[in-house]
Coordinates of all heavy atoms in Angstrom, one line a residue:
M1 N 29.0 24.5 41.4 CA 27.8 23.8 41.7 C 27.3 24.1 43.1 O 28.2 24.4 44.0 CB 27.9 22.3 41.4 CG 28.0 22.0 40.0 SD 27.8 20.2 39.8 CE 28.6 19.9 38.3
F2 N 26.1 23.9 43.3 CA 25.5 24.3 44.6 C 24.6 23.2 45.1 O 23.6 22.9 44.5 CB 24.8 25.6 44.5 CG 24.3 26.2 45.8 CD1 25.1 26.5 46.8 CD2 22.9 26.3 46.0 CE1 24.7 27.0 48.0 CE2 22.4 26.8 47.2 CZ 23.3 27.2 48.2
F3 N 24.9 22.5 46.2 CA 24.2 21.4 46.7 C 23.5 21.6 48.0 O 23.2 20.7 48.7 CB 25.0 20.1 46.8 CG 25.6 19.7 45.5 CD1 27.0 19.7 45.2 CD2 24.8 19.2 44.5 CE1 27.5 19.3 44.0 CE2 25.3 18.8 43.2 CZ 26.6 18.8 43.0
G4 N 23.3 22.9 48.4 CA 22.9 23.2 49.8 C 21.7 22.4 50.3 O 21.8 21.8 51.3
G5 N 20.6 22.5 49.6 CA 19.4 21.8 50.0 C 19.5 20.3 50.1 O 19.1 19.7 51.1
D6 N 20.1 19.7 49.1 CA 20.3 18.3 49.1 C 21.2 17.8 50.2 O 20.9 16.8 50.9 CB 20.9 17.8 47.8 CG 20.0 18.0 46.6 OD1 18.8 18.3 46.8 OD2 20.4 17.8 45.4
S7 N 22.2 18.6 50.4 CA 23.2 18.2 51.5 C 22.5 18.3 52.9 O 22.7 17.5 53.7 CB 24.4 19.1 51.5 OG 25.0 19.1 50.2
A8 N 21.7 19.4 53.0 CA 21.1 19.6 54.3 C 20.1 18.4 54.6 O 20.0 17.9 55.7 CB 20.4 20.9 54.3
Q9 N 19.3 18.1 53.5 CA 18.4 17.0 53.6 C 19.1 15.7 54.0 O 18.6 15.0 54.9 CB 17.6 16.8 52.3 CG 16.6 15.6 52.4 CD 15.9 15.5 51.0 OE1 14.9 16.1 50.8 NE2 16.5 14.6 50.2
T10 N 20.2 15.4 53.4 CA 20.9 14.2 53.6 C 21.4 14.2 55.1 O 21.3 13.2 55.8 CB 22.1 14.0 52.7 OG1 21.6 14.0 51.3 CG2 22.9 12.8 52.9
L11 N 21.9 15.4 55.5 CA 22.4 15.5 56.9 C 21.3 15.3 57.9 O 21.4 14.5 58.9 CB 22.9 16.9 57.0 CG 23.7 17.3 58.3 CD1 24.9 16.5 58.5 CD2 24.0 18.8 58.4
M12 N 20.1 15.8 57.6 CA 18.9 15.7 58.5 C 18.4 14.2 58.5 O 18.1 13.7 59.6 CB 17.8 16.6 58.1 CG 18.2 18.1 58.2 SD 17.0 19.2 57.5 CE 15.7 19.1 58.7
L13 N 18.4 13.6 57.4 CA 18.0 12.2 57.3 C 19.0 11.3 58.1 O 18.6 10.4 58.8 CB 17.9 11.7 55.9 CG 16.7 12.3 55.1 CD1 16.8 11.9 53.6 CD2 15.4 11.8 55.7
A14 N 20.3 11.6 57.9 CA 21.4 10.8 58.6 C 21.2 11.0 60.1 O 21.3 10.1 60.9 CB 22.7 11.3 58.2
A15 N 20.9 12.3 60.5 CA 20.8 12.6 62.0 C 19.6 11.8 62.5 O 19.7 11.2 63.6 CB 20.5 14.1 62.2
K16 N 18.5 11.8 61.8 CA 17.3 11.0 62.2 C 17.6 9.6 62.4 O 17.2 8.9 63.3 CB 16.1 11.3 61.2 CG 14.8 10.8 61.7 CD 14.4 11.7 62.9 CE 13.1 11.3 63.5 NZ 12.7 12.1 64.7
S17 N 18.3 9.0 61.4 CA 18.7 7.6 61.5 C 19.6 7.3 62.7 O 19.7 6.1 63.1 CB 19.3 7.1 60.2 OG 20.7 7.6 60.1
M18 N 20.2 8.3 63.2 CA 21.1 8.1 64.4 C 20.4 8.5 65.7 O 21.0 8.6 66.7 CB 22.4 8.9 64.2 CG 23.2 8.5 63.0 SD 24.5 9.7 62.6 CE 25.7 9.4 64.0
G19 N 19.1 8.8 65.6 CA 18.3 9.1 66.8 C 18.3 10.5 67.2 O 17.9 10.9 68.3
Y20 N 18.7 11.4 66.2 CA 18.6 12.9 66.5 C 17.5 13.6 65.7 O 17.0 13.0 64.7 CB 20.0 13.5 66.2 CG 21.1 13.0 67.1 CD1 22.0 12.0 66.6 CD2 21.3 13.6 68.3 CE1 23.0 11.6 67.5 CE2 22.3 13.2 69.1 CZ 23.2 12.2 68.7 OH 24.2 11.8 69.5
D21 N 17.2 14.7 66.2 CA 16.2 15.5 65.5 C 17.0 16.7 64.9 O 18.1 17.0 65.3 CB 15.1 16.0 66.4 CG 14.3 14.8 66.9 OD1 13.7 14.1 66.0 OD2 14.2 14.6 68.1
S22 N 16.3 17.4 64.0 CA 17.0 18.6 63.3 C 16.0 19.6 62.9 O 14.8 19.4 62.8 CB 17.8 18.1 62.1 OG 16.9 17.5 61.2
C23 N 16.5 20.8 62.6 CA 15.7 21.9 62.2 C 16.5 22.9 61.3 O 17.5 23.4 61.7 CB 15.2 22.7 63.4 SG 14.1 24.1 63.0
P24 N 16.1 23.0 60.0 CA 16.8 23.9 59.1 C 16.4 25.3 59.4 O 15.2 25.6 59.7 CB 16.4 23.5 57.7 CG 15.0 22.9 57.9 CD 15.0 22.3 59.3
M25 N 17.3 26.3 59.2 CA 17.0 27.7 59.5 C 17.7 28.6 58.5 O 18.9 28.3 58.2 CB 17.4 28.1 60.9 CG 16.6 27.5 62.0 SD 17.3 27.9 63.6 CE 18.6 26.6 63.7
D26 N 17.1 29.7 58.1 CA 17.9 30.7 57.4 C 17.6 32.1 57.8 O 17.9 33.1 57.2 CB 17.7 30.6 55.8 CG 16.2 30.7 55.4 OD1 15.4 31.2 56.3 OD2 15.9 30.5 54.2
G27 N 16.9 32.2 59.0 CA 16.6 33.5 59.5 C 17.7 34.1 60.3 O 17.5 34.4 61.5
F28 N 18.9 34.3 59.7 CA 20.0 34.8 60.4 C 20.8 35.7 59.5 O 20.5 35.7 58.3 CB 20.9 33.7 61.0 CG 21.4 32.8 60.0 CD1 22.6 33.0 59.3 CD2 20.7 31.6 59.6 CE1 23.1 32.2 58.4 CE2 21.2 30.8 58.7 CZ 22.4 31.0 58.0
D29 N 21.7 36.4 60.0 CA 22.5 37.3 59.2 C 23.7 36.5 58.5 O 24.7 36.2 59.2 CB 23.1 38.4 60.1 CG 23.9 39.5 59.4 OD1 24.4 39.2 58.3 OD2 23.9 40.6 59.9
F30 N 23.5 36.2 57.3 CA 24.5 35.4 56.6 C 25.8 36.0 56.6 O 26.8 35.3 56.8 CB 24.0 35.2 55.1 CG 22.9 34.1 54.9 CD1 21.7 34.2 55.5 CD2 23.2 33.0 54.1 CE1 20.7 33.2 55.4 CE2 22.2 32.0 53.9 CZ 21.0 32.1 54.6
E31 N 25.9 37.3 56.3 CA 27.2 38.0 56.2 C 27.9 38.0 57.6 O 29.1 37.7 57.6 CB 27.0 39.4 55.7 CG 26.8 39.4 54.2 CD 26.7 40.9 53.7 OE1 27.2 41.8 54.4 OE2 26.1 41.0 52.6
K32 N 27.2 38.2 58.6 CA 27.8 38.2 60.0 C 28.3 36.8 60.3 O 29.4 36.7 60.9 CB 26.7 38.6 61.0 CG 27.3 39.0 62.3 CD 28.1 40.3 62.2 CE 28.9 40.6 63.4 NZ 29.8 41.7 63.3
V33 N 27.5 35.8 60.0 CA 28.0 34.4 60.3 C 29.2 34.1 59.5 O 30.2 33.5 60.0 CB 26.9 33.4 60.1 CG1 27.4 31.9 60.2 CG2 25.7 33.6 61.1
A34 N 29.2 34.5 58.2 CA 30.4 34.2 57.4 C 31.6 34.8 58.0 O 32.7 34.2 58.0 CB 30.1 34.8 56.0
E35 N 31.4 36.0 58.5 CA 32.6 36.7 59.2 C 33.0 36.0 60.4 O 34.2 35.7 60.6 CB 32.0 38.1 59.5 CG 33.1 39.1 59.9 CD 32.4 40.4 60.3 OE1 31.5 40.9 59.5 OE2 32.7 40.9 61.4
L36 N 32.1 35.5 61.2 CA 32.4 34.8 62.5 C 33.1 33.5 62.2 O 34.1 33.2 63.0 CB 31.1 34.5 63.3 CG 30.4 35.7 64.0 CD1 29.1 35.3 64.5 CD2 31.3 36.1 65.2
I37 N 32.7 32.8 61.2 CA 33.4 31.5 61.0 C 34.5 31.6 60.0 O 35.1 30.6 59.6 CB 32.3 30.4 60.5 CG1 31.7 30.8 59.2 CG2 31.2 30.2 61.6 CD1 30.8 29.7 58.6
K38 N 34.8 32.8 59.6 CA 35.9 33.0 58.6 C 35.7 32.2 57.3 O 36.6 31.5 56.9 CB 37.3 32.7 59.2 CG 37.5 33.6 60.5 CD 38.9 33.3 61.0 CE 39.2 34.0 62.4 NZ 38.4 35.0 62.9
L39 N 34.5 32.4 56.8 CA 34.1 31.6 55.6 C 35.0 32.0 54.4 O 35.1 33.2 54.1 CB 32.6 31.9 55.2 CG 32.0 31.1 54.1 CD1 31.7 29.7 54.6 CD2 30.7 31.8 53.6
P40 N 35.6 31.0 53.7 CA 36.5 31.4 52.6 C 35.6 32.0 51.5 O 34.4 31.7 51.4 CB 37.0 30.0 52.1 CG 36.8 29.1 53.3 CD 35.6 29.6 54.1
D41 N 36.3 32.8 50.6 CA 35.6 33.6 49.6 C 34.8 32.7 48.6 O 33.8 33.1 48.0 CB 36.6 34.4 48.8 CG 36.9 35.7 49.6 OD1 36.2 36.0 50.6 OD2 38.0 36.3 49.3
D42 N 35.3 31.5 48.3 CA 34.7 30.6 47.4 C 33.7 29.6 48.0 O 33.3 28.6 47.4 CB 35.8 29.8 46.6 CG 36.6 28.9 47.5 OD1 36.5 29.1 48.8 OD2 37.4 28.1 47.0
H43 N 33.2 30.0 49.2 CA 32.1 29.2 49.8 C 30.9 30.1 50.0 O 31.0 31.3 50.2 CB 32.5 28.7 51.2 CG 33.5 27.6 51.1 ND1 34.7 27.6 50.5 CD2 33.4 26.3 51.6 CE1 35.3 26.5 50.6 NE2 34.6 25.6 51.2
V44 N 29.7 29.5 50.1 CA 28.5 30.3 50.4 C 27.7 29.5 51.5 O 27.8 28.2 51.5 CB 27.6 30.6 49.2 CG1 28.2 31.5 48.3 CG2 27.1 29.3 48.6
I45 N 27.0 30.2 52.3 CA 26.2 29.5 53.3 C 24.8 29.3 52.8 O 24.2 30.2 52.2 CB 26.1 30.4 54.6 CG1 27.5 30.6 55.2 CG2 25.1 29.7 55.6 CD1 27.5 31.5 56.4
A46 N 24.3 28.0 52.8 CA 23.0 27.8 52.3 C 22.0 27.9 53.5 O 20.9 28.5 53.3 CB 22.9 26.3 51.8
M47 N 22.3 27.4 54.6 CA 21.3 27.4 55.8 C 22.0 26.9 57.0 O 23.1 26.3 56.9 CB 20.1 26.6 55.5 CG 20.4 25.1 55.3 SD 18.9 24.2 54.8 CE 19.0 24.4 53.1
F48 N 21.4 27.1 58.1 CA 21.8 26.4 59.3 C 21.1 25.1 59.4 O 19.9 25.0 59.0 CB 21.4 27.2 60.6 CG 22.4 28.2 61.0 CD1 22.0 29.1 62.1 CD2 23.6 28.4 60.4 CE1 22.9 30.1 62.5 CE2 24.5 29.4 60.9 CZ 24.1 30.2 61.9
V49 N 21.6 24.1 60.0 CA 20.9 22.9 60.4 C 21.2 22.6 61.9 O 22.4 22.2 62.2 CB 21.2 21.6 59.5 CG1 20.4 20.4 60.0 CG2 20.8 21.9 58.1
A50 N 20.3 22.9 62.8 CA 20.5 22.5 64.2 C 20.2 21.1 64.4 O 19.2 20.6 63.9 CB 19.6 23.4 65.0
I51 N 21.1 20.3 65.0 CA 20.9 18.9 65.3 C 21.0 18.6 66.7 O 21.9 19.1 67.4 CB 21.9 18.1 64.5 CG1 21.7 18.3 63.0 CG2 21.8 16.6 64.8 CD1 22.7 17.6 62.1
G52 N 20.1 17.9 67.3 CA 20.1 17.5 68.7 C 19.0 16.6 69.1 O 18.3 16.0 68.2
K53 N 18.9 16.4 70.4 CA 17.8 15.6 70.9 C 16.5 16.5 71.1 O 16.6 17.4 71.8 CB 18.2 14.9 72.2 CG 19.3 13.9 72.1 CD 18.7 12.6 71.6 CE 19.8 11.5 71.6 NZ 19.3 10.2 71.1
G54 N 15.5 16.1 70.4 CA 14.2 16.9 70.6 C 13.7 16.8 72.0 O 13.8 15.7 72.6
T55 N 13.1 17.9 72.5 CA 12.6 17.8 73.8 C 11.1 17.5 73.8 O 10.5 17.2 74.9 CB 12.8 19.2 74.6 OG1 12.2 20.2 73.8 CG2 14.3 19.4 74.8
Q56 N 10.5 17.6 72.6 CA 9.1 17.3 72.5 C 8.8 16.9 71.0 O 9.6 17.2 70.2 CB 8.2 18.4 72.9 CG 8.4 19.7 72.1 CD 7.7 20.9 72.7 OE1 7.7 21.1 73.9 NE2 7.0 21.7 71.9
E57 N 7.7 16.2 70.8 CA 7.3 15.9 69.5 C 7.1 17.1 68.6 O 6.6 18.1 69.1 CB 6.0 15.1 69.5 CG 6.1 13.6 70.0 CD 7.1 12.8 69.1 OE1 6.9 12.8 67.8 OE2 8.0 12.2 69.6
A58 N 7.4 17.0 67.3 CA 7.1 18.1 66.4 C 5.6 18.3 66.3 O 4.8 17.4 66.5 CB 7.6 17.8 65.0
W59 N 5.2 19.6 66.1 CA 3.8 19.9 66.0 C 3.2 19.3 64.8 O 3.9 19.1 63.8 CB 3.6 21.4 65.9 CG 4.0 22.2 67.1 CD1 4.4 21.7 68.3 CD2 4.1 23.6 67.3 NE1 4.7 22.7 69.2 CE2 4.5 23.9 68.6 CE3 3.8 24.7 66.4 CZ2 4.7 25.1 69.1 CZ3 3.9 25.9 66.9 CH2 4.4 26.2 68.2
P60 N 1.9 18.9 64.8 CA 1.3 18.3 63.6 C 1.4 19.4 62.5 O 1.3 20.6 62.7 CB -0.1 18.0 64.0 CG -0.3 18.6 65.3 CD 1.0 19.0 65.9
R61 N 1.5 18.9 61.2 CA 1.6 19.8 60.1 C 0.3 19.9 59.4 O -0.1 18.9 58.6 CB 2.7 19.4 59.1 CG 4.1 19.1 59.7 CD 4.6 20.3 60.4 NE 4.7 21.5 59.5 CZ 5.1 22.7 59.9 NH1 5.4 22.9 61.2 NH2 5.2 23.6 59.0
P62 N -0.5 20.9 59.6 CA -1.8 21.0 58.9 C -1.6 21.3 57.4 O -0.6 21.9 57.0 CB -2.5 22.1 59.6 CG -1.4 23.0 60.1 CD -0.2 22.0 60.4
G63 N -2.6 20.9 56.6 CA -2.6 21.3 55.2 C -1.6 20.5 54.3 O -1.3 21.0 53.2
Q64 N -1.0 19.4 54.8 CA 0.0 18.7 54.0 C -0.7 18.1 52.8 O -1.8 17.5 52.9 CB 0.6 17.6 54.8 CG 2.0 17.3 54.4 CD 2.8 16.7 55.5 OE1 2.3 16.2 56.5 NE2 4.1 16.7 55.4
L65 N -0.1 18.1 51.6 CA -0.7 17.5 50.4 C -0.6 16.0 50.5 O 0.3 15.5 51.1 CB 0.1 18.0 49.1 CG 0.0 19.5 48.9 CD1 1.0 19.9 47.7 CD2 -1.4 20.0 48.6
T66 N -1.5 15.3 49.9 CA -1.5 13.8 49.9 C -0.4 13.4 48.8 O -0.1 14.2 47.9 CB -2.8 13.2 49.5 OG1 -3.1 13.6 48.1 CG2 -4.0 13.8 50.4
L67 N 0.0 12.2 49.0 CA 1.0 11.6 48.0 C 0.5 11.7 46.6 O 1.2 11.9 45.7 CB 1.4 10.2 48.4 CG 2.3 10.1 49.7 CD1 2.7 8.6 49.9 CD2 3.6 10.9 49.6
D68 N -0.8 11.4 46.4 CA -1.4 11.5 45.1 C -1.2 12.8 44.5 O -1.2 12.9 43.2 CB -2.9 11.2 45.2 CG -3.2 9.7 45.4 OD1 -2.2 8.9 45.2 OD2 -4.4 9.3 45.7
E69 N -1.2 13.8 45.3 CA -1.1 15.2 44.7 C 0.4 15.6 44.4 O 0.6 16.6 43.7 CB -1.6 16.2 45.8 CG -3.1 16.1 45.9 CD -3.6 17.0 47.1 OE1 -3.4 16.6 48.3 OE2 -4.2 18.1 46.8
I70 N 1.4 14.9 44.9 CA 2.7 15.3 44.7 C 3.6 14.3 43.9 O 4.7 14.6 43.5 CB 3.5 15.7 46.0 CG1 3.4 14.5 47.0 CG2 2.9 16.9 46.6 CD1 4.3 14.7 48.2
I71 N 3.1 13.1 43.7 CA 3.8 12.0 43.0 C 3.2 11.8 41.6 O 2.0 11.4 41.6 CB 3.9 10.7 43.8 CG1 4.7 11.0 45.1 CG2 4.6 9.6 43.0 CD1 4.8 9.8 46.0
I72 N 4.0 11.9 40.6 CA 3.5 11.6 39.2 C 4.2 10.4 38.8 O 5.5 10.4 38.8 CB 3.8 12.8 38.2 CG1 3.4 14.1 38.7 CG2 3.3 12.5 36.8 CD1 1.9 14.3 38.9
E73 N 3.5 9.3 38.4 CA 4.2 8.1 38.0 C 4.2 8.0 36.4 O 3.2 8.0 35.8 CB 3.5 6.9 38.6 CG 3.7 6.8 40.1 CD 3.1 5.5 40.6 OE1 3.5 4.4 40.2 OE2 2.3 5.6 41.5
N74 N 5.4 7.8 35.9 CA 5.6 7.6 34.4 C 5.2 8.8 33.5 O 6.0 9.1 32.7 CB 4.9 6.3 34.0 CG 5.3 5.1 34.8 OD1 6.5 5.0 35.1 ND2 4.4 4.2 35.1
S75 N 4.1 9.3 33.6 CA 3.7 10.3 32.7 C 2.7 11.3 33.3 O 1.9 10.9 34.2 CB 3.0 9.7 31.5 OG 2.3 10.6 30.7
F76 N 2.7 12.5 32.9 CA 1.7 13.5 33.4 C 0.3 13.2 32.8 O -0.7 13.7 33.2 CB 2.1 14.9 33.1 CG 3.1 15.4 34.1 CD1 4.5 15.1 34.0 CD2 2.7 16.1 35.2 CE1 5.4 15.5 34.9 CE2 3.6 16.6 36.2 CZ 5.0 16.3 36.0
E77 N 0.3 12.5 31.7 CA -1.0 12.2 31.0 C -1.4 10.8 31.2 O -0.6 9.8 31.1 CB -0.9 12.5 29.5 CG -0.8 14.0 29.2 CD -0.7 14.3 27.7 OE1 -1.2 13.4 26.9 OE2 -0.1 15.3 27.4
G78 N -2.7 10.6 31.5 CA -3.3 9.2 31.6 C -2.6 8.4 32.7 O -2.6 7.3 32.8
Ligands
FMN101 C1 15.8 26.2 54.3 C2 14.9 26.4 55.5 C3 15.1 27.5 56.3 C4 14.2 27.8 57.4 N1 14.4 28.9 58.2 C5 13.6 29.1 59.2 C6 13.8 30.3 60.0 O1 14.7 31.0 59.8 N2 12.9 30.5 61.0 C7 11.9 29.6 61.3 O2 11.1 29.8 62.2 N3 11.7 28.5 60.6 C8 12.5 28.2 59.5 N4 12.4 27.1 58.7 C9 11.3 26.2 59.1 C10 11.8 25.4 60.3 O3 12.8 24.5 59.9 C11 10.7 24.6 61.0 O4 10.1 23.8 60.1 C12 9.7 25.6 61.5 O5 10.4 26.5 62.3 C13 8.7 24.8 62.4 O6 8.0 25.9 62.8 P1 6.6 25.8 63.6 O7 7.0 25.1 64.9 O8 6.3 27.2 63.7 O9 5.7 25.0 62.8 C14 13.2 26.9 57.7 C15 13.0 25.7 56.9 C16 13.9 25.5 55.8 C17 13.7 24.3 55.0

């Protein structure tokens, strides 16, 4: 089973609740990092999550969908 995204989200929410900021990343060489950290064969890297104290507010996110557009209650019809 693979829980990478859920785990990262939980980690980021926990960090926020403790007063930290975070940033997920996957723009790196997965194989090289696996080599560096001596990743066991039965593990895979999902992403990096950098956690720390933010130095400035996050930029505003333009084009975000409204809750009405992403939340379906009870049924897709009516
Ligand atoms: C799984 C995942 C991987 C990401 N990888 C990268 C990345 O490699 N490089 C990057 O610039 N942003 C990446 N992002 C987005 C950043 O977390 C962050 O939202 C973004 O860098 C903010 O960029 P902006 O300041 O350009 O808006 C990733 C997001 C997710 C969810």
Side-chain angles (χ1 to χ4, degrees):
M1 288 196 204
F2 185 64
F3 297 115
D6 292 352
S7 303
Q9 176 182 274
T10 302
L11 187 66
M12 294 171 74
L13 290 171
K16 193 68 183 172
S17 76
M18 296 168 73
Y20 292 98
D21 295 301
S22 61
C23 182
M25 290 174 277
D26 61 12
F28 58 90
D29 185 335
F30 280 61
E31 284 183 18
K32 194 72 191 168
V33 171
E35 195 183 309
L36 283 171
I37 65 173
K38 304 185 187 340
L39 189 75
D41 285 343
D42 58 350
H43 286 59
V44 292
I45 298 173
M47 67 187 80
F48 275 175
V49 178
I51 296 176
K53 292 280 185 183
T55 55
Q56 59 188 45
E57 284 299 308
W59 294 355
R61 308 302 301 176
Q64 210 156 18
L65 299 173
T66 65
L67 288 182
D68 283 350
E69 291 172 284
I70 57 172
I71 296 177
I72 310 296
E73 289 185 59
N74 301 325
S75 166
F76 279 84
E77 290 181 24

